[in-house]
Amino acid sequence: MDKIQQLHERKEKLMLAGKSVREDISLLTDEGSFVELSAFSFSRNEFYGDEAQGEGVVTGFATIDGYPYYIAVINPQVMQGGVSKAMCDKIFKCLDAAEKNDAPVIYLLHSKGVQIGEGVNVLEGLAKLILKAVQLKGSVTQYAVINGEVYGQLAVLVAACDFTFFIKEKGLLAANSPLVISAKSGVNLSAKEVGSAEALEKANIAAFIAENLSEVKEAIAKITDLLAVKFADSGDMNTVLAQLNAEITAENLTEVFDADSFIEVGAPYSSDVKCILGRIGGITAAAVIFNKEGGVKLNVRNVRKIKDFAEFACCNGLPFVTFVDCLGLCPCLDNNNSLVLKEVTELVNVLDCLDSKVAVVTGKAVGLGFTLFAAKSMGYDCSFAFANAQIALFDGAQGAEIEFADEKSADKSALAQRYSEENADPVNAAKNGYIDNIIEPAFVKQYLAASLQMLLK
């Protein structure tokens, strides 16, 4: 038998079985860069009586904008995308190679769950795979792309990733079948109402919602470049941001980042806190911008979002910058009876591990809002405050009621104004050495760029 001809026939059969996923890989990677690994892996599912072409997953390595990645793509055309132990072993092998070669991993996922007939074998495979993914967290950057329905224990793998992309109108994620979740909850919901990025806005999983794989490719390339080149030449370190003197908004604050250098992570959830990865004066930094008029009140979800982002900054050796407009903990029963205090203590632990931190009080830093995000005793190397910022134990009205309790006949709004002027002026914190400088908002980029250069290791 002509072995070359036989090889061509086998390859043709393999390519036919994975035609659509290989098209997805070509959209996600540089042209002609993908090299497949373990291509001729085959096992037999006794339940279906069919061969699992390539174990139902295509793995290999490729480049995106010249940067190398390992890739694992589940093929929904083989065994309906069902997860098997052999599939888990193949993906594990891919992760092992990524760890050895210090390269990021991209999972392109579309699976409705485990293969019927696998039994406990697949659970062992999933345990091995999930453990490996969690062990790599902090050393190998992992990207999950939800390119269709992803149900079952693969949702745990997704949660272990640093960044998750939901393809709009296609991406669905659930720890169980949406039908089961809906029925057990006593409601009649569609799969989209259970598992879309919008439906999971409290889960803190959807880092991005992307229109297509080309958009995913662009975002991954930008993130990788920011992490790979942590100091780049920048000609705009002395930029004056005059618009900040007129209006301090989250959108205007993003102007501190170098042009086209930043990306927002986690926009679909906890939108009152913006997590930005970008360059300031050429230096890559992780920044948190509090994004609510009048100040943000902390709850379990936005604290968790900040903690996860700070942990990513810590693992990647990035400076952490806070633009503070925070009123401390939300004073409500739901928040009080939640895991928020546990999350706060875990956030403190992460903040302590960061190499460098810079704070800018842009609005209010009240109570825990100052303690966590600007206090010198929390390890902030540099702390600045805008001239019109407020730093205090309490917000205006609450503080006025305590400070001026004897003046019962006075107008409450007037007392609040008086409290802000007399007690919340950032000059008071600066006098005690807790604020390094009170600055004009327009010059904030200059202060930040100089501080980050000084802290650069």
Side-chain angles (χ1 to χ4, degrees):
M1 180 180 291
D2 185 343
K3 290 294 183 180
I4 301 297
Q5 179 62 32
Q6 187 182 45
L7 175 63
H8 285 309
E9 290 173 358
R10 286 171 172 169
K11 278 189 172 182
E12 185 178 354
K13 185 178 180 181
L14 194 65
M15 294 299 165
L16 184 62
K19 185 175 184 294
S20 64
V21 295
R22 286 179 171 80
E23 289 173 353
D24 287 342
I25 292 171
S26 67
L27 291 172
L28 194 60
T29 61
D30 296 337
E31 185 177 356
S33 69
F34 180 67
V35 177
E36 190 169 354
L37 299 173
S38 303
F40 291 99
S41 295
F42 293 90
S43 61
R44 187 174 181 81
N45 185 296
E46 297 302 328
F47 187 88
Y48 288 106
D50 292 330
E51 277 190 332
Q53 297 274 354
E55 309 303 353
V57 60
V58 177
T59 62
F61 57 87
T63 61
I64 298 176
D65 277 8
Y67 288 110
Y69 301 81
Y70 279 85
I71 300 173
V73 187
I74 291 181
N75 185 357
Q77 295 178 340
V78 175
M79 301 294 180
Q80 301 178 5
V83 178
S84 66
K85 185 178 184 302
M87 176 191 288
C88 293
D89 289 343
K90 188 171 176 180
I91 299 174
F92 180 93
K93 185 178 177 181
C94 186
L95 295 185
D96 199 39
E99 182 181 26
K100 288 179 181 177
N101 293 291
D102 194 25
V105 175
I106 302 171
Y107 307 98
L108 195 55
L109 304 176
H110 186 174
S111 170
K112 291 186 178 181
V114 299
Q115 285 188 24
I116 297 174
E118 278 274 319
V120 176
N121 288 330
V122 68
L123 299 181
E124 283 288 344
L126 282 163
K128 179 180 177 182
L129 175 59
I130 291 169
L131 178 60
K132 184 67 173 180
V134 172
Q135 289 172 337
L136 292 183
K137 195 169 177 64
S139 60
V140 171
T141 306
Q142 298 175 77
Y143 302 87
V145 184
I146 312 303
N147 197 37
E149 298 165 291
V150 180
Y151 305 146
Q153 290 191 36
L154 280 183
V156 181
L157 176 68
V158 172
C161 292
D162 298 284
F163 303 101
T164 301
F165 296 82
F166 279 70
I167 301 299
K168 198 171 184 179
E169 306 302 332
K170 290 173 60 179
L172 299 172
L173 180 72
N176 211 314
S177 163
L179 286 174
V180 173
I181 292 173
S182 182
K184 292 290 185 181
S185 303
V187 291
N188 185 19
L189 300 175
S190 66
K192 186 174 181 180
E193 289 173 309
V194 173
S196 67
E198 293 82 1
L200 297 172
E201 54 91 17
K202 293 180 181 179
N204 285 21
I205 287 179
F208 303 95
I209 300 175
E211 293 287 342
N212 49 50
L213 290 176
S214 296
E215 196 173 303
V216 173
K217 176 182 178 180
E218 183 180 339
I220 290 177
K222 177 170 276 192
I223 292 169
T224 303
D225 184 63
L226 287 167
L227 296 177
V229 184
K230 293 178 180 175
F231 180 71
D233 291 334
S234 175
D236 58 357
M237 289 179 60
N238 296 316
T239 302
V240 177
L241 304 175
Q243 65 272 29
L244 282 174
N245 279 358
E247 186 180 16
I248 299 169
T249 65
E251 184 177 356
N252 285 346
L253 284 170
T254 60
E255 294 298 316
V256 303
F257 296 97
D258 302 341
D260 300 320
S261 79
F262 71 93
I263 187 168
E264 182 179 357
V265 179
Y269 59 90
S270 298
S271 60
D272 53 352
V273 171
K274 297 172 78 70
C275 293
I276 309 289
L277 191 63
R279 292 193 180 99
I280 302 173
I283 298 172
T284 302
V288 172
I289 300 176
F290 290 88
N291 180 37
K292 189 173 184 180
E293 187 176 354
V296 172
K297 295 177 181 177
L298 298 173
N299 57 45
V300 67
R301 292 190 298 279
N302 55 29
V303 171
R304 180 58 187 259
K305 181 177 182 178
I306 296 167
K307 185 197 77 176
D308 287 348
F309 193 57
E311 189 173 39
F312 177 80
C314 185
C315 291
N316 288 276
L318 302 177
F320 191 66
V321 180
T322 56
F323 294 91
V324 188
D325 190 6
C326 179
L327 304 177
L329 288 172
C330 179
C332 64
L333 283 174
D334 284 346
N335 203 40
N336 191 59
N337 189 27
S338 74
L339 292 172
V340 67
L341 295 178
K342 287 286 190 181
E343 291 293 344
V344 166
T345 58
E346 290 183 17
L347 171 59
V348 170
N349 185 52
V350 176
L351 291 173
D352 184 49
C353 294
L354 286 159
D355 286 335
S356 52
K357 300 188 287 292
V358 179
V360 181
V361 181
T362 62
K364 297 179 179 181
V366 175
L368 196 62
F370 178 80
T371 303
L372 290 174
F373 305 115
K376 284 289 184 179
S377 296
M378 192 58 69
Y380 283 85
D381 300 281
C382 303
S383 292
F384 305 106
F386 285 175
N388 54 352
Q390 296 178 25
I391 301 173
L393 280 173
F394 308 103
D395 196 16
Q398 184 184 6
E401 288 180 7
I402 296 170
E403 184 74 15
F404 308 118
D406 296 335
E407 302 182 32
K408 299 187 183 300
S409 61
D411 178 75
K412 287 189 176 181
S413 61
L415 288 179
Q417 180 66 27
R418 180 179 164 190
Y419 177 81
S420 295
E421 292 175 356
E422 294 180 7
N423 295 275
D425 192 315
V427 168
N428 295 324
K431 285 178 180 177
N432 293 318
Y434 303 137
I435 294 294
D436 292 302
N437 210 337
I438 299 171
I439 64 177
E440 186 177 334
F443 299 108
V444 64
K445 181 165 184 175
Q446 297 177 25
Y447 281 93
L448 282 174
S451 300
L452 291 174
Q453 280 201 335
M454 181 270 295
L455 295 169
L456 190 65
K457 292 178 173 65

